[in-house]
Amino acid sequence: MFEWTGSGDGAVEAWRIEVTGTVQGVGFRPCVFREAVRLGLSGTVANIPGGVEIRVEGPRRALEAFCRRLREAPPPLARIRSLTVRPEAPGRAGTGFRILSSREDRSAAAAPVAPDVATCGACRAELFDPADRRHRYPFLNCTDCGPRYTIVESVPYDRPRTTMKGFAMCDACEAEYRDPANRRFHAQPNACPRCGPRLALLDAGGRPVAADPLREAAERLARGEVVAVKGLGGVHLAVDAAAEAAVARLRARKGRPSKPLALMARDLATARRLGDVGAAEAALLEGARRPIVLLLRRPGAPVAPNVAPGVHELGVMLPYTPLHHLLFAEPACPPVLVMTSGNRSGSSLCAGNDEALERLAGIADAFLLHDRPIAARTDDSVVRVAAGAERVLRRARGYVPEPVALPRALPAVFGAGAALKNTFCLVRGAEAVPGPHVGDLEDAETFAFYQEAAAHLSALLRLEPEAAACDLHPDYLSTRYARGLGVPVLPVQHHHAHAVAVMAEHGLEGPVLAVVFDGAGLGPDGTIWGGEFLLARPAGFRRLGSLRSFPLPGGDAAAREPWRPALALLRAAGRAGGDPDRPPGVLRQIPAGSRAAVLRMMELGLQAPATTSAGRLFDGVAALLGLRARLDYEGQAAMELEALAHRAAAAGERPAAYPVALRRGAGGWRLDFRPAVRGVLRDIGRGAPPEVAALAFHRWLSAATAALCRRLARETGAGEVVLGGGCFQNRLLLEDVVERLTAAGLRVYAGERVPAGDGGLALGQAAAAGFRLQGGA
Ligand code: ZN
Ligand code: ZN
Ligand code: FE
């Protein structure tokens, strides 16, 4: 491990130890200090670009023990990437051990800033200890917990460069901060009721309410009011999750008719009443990151039906700030709160107090705010456990800005991301740093947030990209942003980027088979792709096959109105000519004239672009099964179709899958969906429950996917398959495909730390461009 061999054990040696990884803002220097003092070593520790530098002197055996301790027992939040040792001439360290402040550092540091961390057990104990000086203080934290990324304005990570700079520490806090034996030693956001941020409750008009803010907020929640609660990365809108009328009021005011709302449960026992919590889910719920965890909803879950209509999961998180813990400890507080992003539907999260009062006016009945500013707006992250692993669906608080290790060092590239569910990604050396979830880049406000977040994270990483990567689609705002950066721009095809995101995360350089199922992405042939089988390397790909194509009458409207793809599927299956008075599913709700007009658009090829989209196939089948003619939010019909199928699977139904038909044409393999559409029609025609047909459709798609993969694996010799695209956020599909491919002897990979959907696209873009710049074939 250490190549250097020096003199005997007794003589004093000097080592320079460089540690890289997530080692700033996580209590690493204090840990170094304590170990050095314990072992009687002298020297210094300081932050340097990319990590921490330790200069230490002492007997060799003690130095070795010191390194071993750092490797084996680093602070809980530290992630050591490398630890290298170089001998130096002894005699420079002097006596004692010191932590050098950033000002004393030789250089401006740019080690990664850590993600925000949920309140630790020790701080929680103090919070509820009447004898503690921080009893009931909503902003306590320590080196193991508290805000990080959301308060950092610039690097190196030190209090004057955080939003805590306006709070001068009192003597007691300062003493803790300077005492190496204290667990608040160098805890940058350290604070107490005397010197730190304060809480206030304001009424709907922004006027202070003269009452205990927490008790009053809890009582208002219990009465069904909507309370805006400022958290780590932004403002939530909270309401009693069991109160149907209150939830309905929140939905109406926010303009969000049916999209599922996230919940915060008082504790793990309460979460278990909401959904199925296995060991993996419990670890995520109670872990330091505290994401929203999607749980299979339990019958009788104590929440109003309008919290998550039509879906079979509930998104649940546990309290992650002292403020949340105190709120739930109020006797009046409901045990489960809706905690949804504080915004009007579709726009970005509010972070500033004035901004919240202005933008949430008319939505919130009261505001529970504080005076610690938010430097970086950050939403809650969303995860699910599927196919045996944690799958991040929305990557933000608790995860950003943690890097993802790449298989090799790449040039500095900015990945601009997609149009919907956007985030960007920065690649630096052998690391990629995905930015926080931004949202749908469809309005000026969200685009402004995108630019702000990209500039902020680039500054924290001191990264100046040599190149930018973007989608092939010229009209995405992210594409335009990339083109405005003044560096070479490399467009990356959408589905190739999805594949490379999975490859990058899992350290694969290919060639691999990639199955990418999603809503839409522009293909190099100008058509809309979305059900793709590729042979992929990071720098390029070949399309081996796809879903059989079908027209999308109305273009963009077809993505919002599943009855349109439903009609296209019927027509493709040769069943559009049936009794016009008795069309299947939701087509019954569509006037015969509109149906005829859309059929005619397809006959004439007017405004009916061809697509191979798996997402639209799901939408169309959902509509044929009677789910919905129009969407309130992206992915709704597909989620409801999965929920139906899940119900059948949970009831033990085992319908035979519809026939698989694979055909080889001039453009490669075609996976023909028509037998599945005919099967669905036959099933509903003979009165089978739509649940069973939904399950049979899922089974058909996984069987067909696995069958085509087996063939392609034989043809190409590839033994690895990556699964990407938003459709693989469907648990049933993912687990079934993984199982079938694994049984066929293939190694299967899907997104884990990075979303399978468009939230993971930027990583794939940046990595693909980085490999291309390096001249990979
Ligand atoms: Zn703590
Ligand atoms: Zn204080
Ligand atoms: Fe996509």
Side-chain angles (χ1 to χ4, degrees):
M1 195 184 302
F2 308 119
E3 288 183 6
W4 182 64
T5 49
S7 44
D9 285 352
V12 165
E13 296 180 9
W15 287 8
R16 179 183 176 277
I17 304 166
E18 195 172 310
V19 187
T20 64
T22 303
V23 289
Q24 289 193 18
V26 292
F28 195 77
R29 286 177 301 166
C31 165
V32 167
F33 177 93
R34 282 192 294 270
E35 288 303 328
V37 170
R38 194 175 63 82
L39 292 163
L41 302 171
S42 55
T44 58
V45 56
N47 286 336
I48 57 164
V52 158
E53 180 195 66
I54 307 163
R55 306 189 106 103
V56 63
E57 289 191 23
R60 181 189 174 86
R61 184 163 289 166
L63 293 173
E64 284 173 354
F66 176 69
C67 286
R68 208 172 322 120
R69 283 292 294 175
L70 293 185
R71 278 181 186 283
E72 290 170 6
L77 305 172
R79 297 281 176 275
I80 294 180
R81 171 191 270 280
S82 69
L83 188 154
T84 50
V85 175
R86 263 205 347 234
E88 293 188 312
R92 296 198 308 203
T95 55
F97 199 92
R98 278 198 315 141
I99 294 182
L100 300 182
S101 79
S102 299
R103 273 179 300 284
E104 293 175 87
D105 286 354
R106 289 170 305 133
S107 56
V113 170
D116 298 275
V117 187
T119 308
C120 73
C123 284
R124 237 162 41 222
E126 284 181 357
L127 189 61
F128 294 107
D129 175 4
D132 195 276
R133 72 186 187 90
R134 290 189 179 83
H135 180 227
R136 293 183 55 79
Y137 180 57
F139 306 98
L140 90 172
N141 62 80
C142 72
T143 30
D144 289 341
C145 77
R148 298 286 187 276
Y149 172 70
T150 53
I151 60 164
V152 177
E153 291 176 331
S154 61
V155 284
Y157 176 59
D158 240 346
R159 192 169 175 111
R161 280 173 292 271
T162 70
T163 59
M164 287 299 292
K165 65 184 176 213
F167 302 93
M169 275 187 275
C170 68
D171 291 348
C173 286
E174 182 85 31
E176 292 167 335
Y177 183 86
R178 299 208 171 282
D179 174 7
N182 193 285
R183 65 186 187 83
R184 296 200 164 88
F185 182 52
H186 280 231
Q188 305 304 343
N190 189 27
C192 79
R194 277 185 59 201
C195 66
R198 275 157 213 256
L199 198 60
L201 187 77
L202 310 177
D203 67 14
R207 288 170 297 268
V209 176
D212 177 84
L214 287 159
R215 187 180 321 129
E216 177 70 15
E219 282 169 4
R220 285 171 177 254
L221 286 165
R223 288 201 299 267
E225 289 192 12
V226 177
V227 181
V229 180
K230 184 170 172 182
L232 281 178
V235 177
H236 282 119
L237 288 166
V239 80
D240 179 359
E244 189 169 357
V247 174
R249 208 152 42 233
L250 172 65
R251 285 195 176 281
R253 292 179 186 173
K254 216 172 120 91
R256 178 162 158 158
S258 54
K259 194 174 177 184
L261 298 166
L263 302 172
M264 187 179 276
R266 182 168 52 199
D267 50 26
L268 190 63
T270 308
R272 288 187 193 282
R273 295 172 56 209
L274 298 169
D276 289 348
V277 178
E281 285 88 358
L284 290 166
L285 284 166
E286 292 202 298
R289 302 179 191 272
R290 298 266 161 140
I292 296 167
V293 184
L294 298 183
L295 304 175
L296 287 173
R297 182 184 189 137
R298 284 178 67 99
V303 293
N306 53 352
V307 163
V311 298
H312 62 301
E313 292 177 308
L314 290 174
V316 182
M317 59 184 153
L318 294 184
Y320 57 81
T321 67
L323 170 52
H324 299 145
H325 288 291
L326 290 168
L327 187 60
F328 279 103
E330 286 295 327
C333 188
V336 184
L337 294 174
V338 164
M339 283 284 231
T340 185
S341 311
N343 54 19
R344 267 176 221 283
S345 196
S347 62
S348 60
L349 189 67
C350 288
N353 291 356
D354 292 341
E355 185 192 5
L357 289 169
E358 187 187 313
R359 285 176 52 199
L360 302 180
I363 300 181
D365 298 307
F367 295 82
L368 188 58
L369 300 179
H370 58 73
D371 55 357
R372 184 182 67 209
I374 293 169
R377 281 189 272 182
T378 315
D379 259 299
D380 295 313
S381 296
V382 181
V383 309
R384 170 197 284 134
V385 179
E390 173 191 3
R391 314 274 166 186
V392 174
L393 307 179
R394 182 166 86 187
R395 200 173 185 281
R397 177 187 51 77
Y399 292 80
V400 174
E402 195 170 273
V404 173
L406 297 174
R408 65 165 89 173
L410 296 174
V413 180
F414 175 81
L420 300 181
K421 304 198 161 84
N422 170 286
T423 190
F424 55 88
C425 181
L426 295 161
V427 162
R428 176 181 72 170
E431 290 185 337
V433 182
H437 164 80
V438 171
D440 298 346
L441 282 186
E442 290 184 318
D443 58 40
E445 193 187 283
T446 312
F447 187 49
F449 172 35
Y450 172 83
Q451 294 171 284
E452 167 196 310
H456 184 63
L457 192 55
S458 306
L460 291 192
L461 299 173
R462 305 209 176 219
L463 182 129
E464 290 192 14
E466 293 169 35
C470 63
D471 199 86
L472 288 185
H473 202 300
D475 298 333
Y476 286 180
L477 285 174
S478 51
T479 302
R480 291 196 205 157
Y481 179 78
R483 296 204 177 277
L485 286 175
V487 293
V489 176
L490 290 86
V492 180
Q493 198 278 326
H494 191 95
H495 303 92
H496 180 228
H498 273 306
V500 179
V502 181
M503 296 175 76
E505 183 184 339
H506 294 283
L508 306 173
E509 295 200 4
V512 299
L513 289 179
V515 183
V516 186
F517 288 169
D518 70 355
L522 189 60
D525 58 359
T527 68
I528 303 165
W529 291 16
E532 308 308 317
F533 293 79
L534 314 175
L535 184 67
R537 288 177 189 274
F541 73 99
R542 192 151 60 84
R543 192 190 203 190
L544 301 173
S546 67
L547 205 63
R548 183 194 162 89
S549 83
F550 57 98
L552 269 185
D556 284 350
R560 295 186 300 268
E561 300 181 0
W563 70 269
R564 291 170 182 265
L567 203 53
L569 299 181
L570 271 189
R571 178 173 167 272
R575 300 294 162 85
D579 181 353
D581 294 332
R582 301 196 52 216
V586 302
L587 289 169
R588 223 159 294 169
Q589 304 163 22
I590 307 300
S594 306
R595 279 184 269 132
V598 162
L599 277 173
R600 198 154 162 71
M601 279 166 78
M602 290 189 276
E603 303 301 339
L604 299 173
L606 288 174
Q607 280 190 301
T611 188
T612 51
S613 166
R616 296 298 88 80
L617 176 65
F618 269 89
D619 287 356
V621 168
L624 292 176
L625 288 176
L627 279 171
R628 61 179 52 250
R630 293 182 179 77
L631 304 183
D632 289 332
Y633 58 91
E634 210 238 330
Q636 183 177 23
M639 282 166 65
E640 291 176 348
L641 187 66
E642 184 192 355
L644 268 193
H646 174 78
R647 211 178 302 159
E653 296 280 358
R654 299 183 62 85
Y658 301 127
V660 170
L662 304 173
R663 290 175 223 288
R664 187 183 219 143
W669 285 93
R670 289 288 169 264
L671 196 168
D672 193 345
F673 57 81
R674 291 175 304 177
V677 171
R678 291 182 195 123
V680 164
L681 294 172
R682 192 180 326 112
D683 279 351
I684 54 178
R686 64 179 176 81
E691 285 84 352
V692 173
L695 182 58
F697 170 75
H698 276 78
R699 297 281 184 246
W700 163 79
L701 185 56
S702 5
T705 300
L708 185 47
C709 282
R710 284 195 301 269
R711 243 173 231 260
L712 294 173
R714 273 201 304 276
E715 281 182 5
T716 62
E720 293 166 322
V721 183
V722 301
L723 307 175
C727 295
F728 283 107
Q729 297 191 342
N730 178 317
R731 189 199 308 240
L732 266 183
L733 181 70
L734 176 72
E735 294 188 336
D736 204 2
V737 170
V738 168
E739 195 182 309
R740 289 170 194 263
L741 293 177
T742 307
L746 295 163
R747 286 185 300 284
V748 193
Y749 304 85
E752 292 177 26
R753 287 166 297 158
V754 175
D758 282 1
L761 201 74
L763 167 62
Q765 291 174 339
F771 272 90
R772 253 150 71 186
L773 287 169
Q774 279 192 337

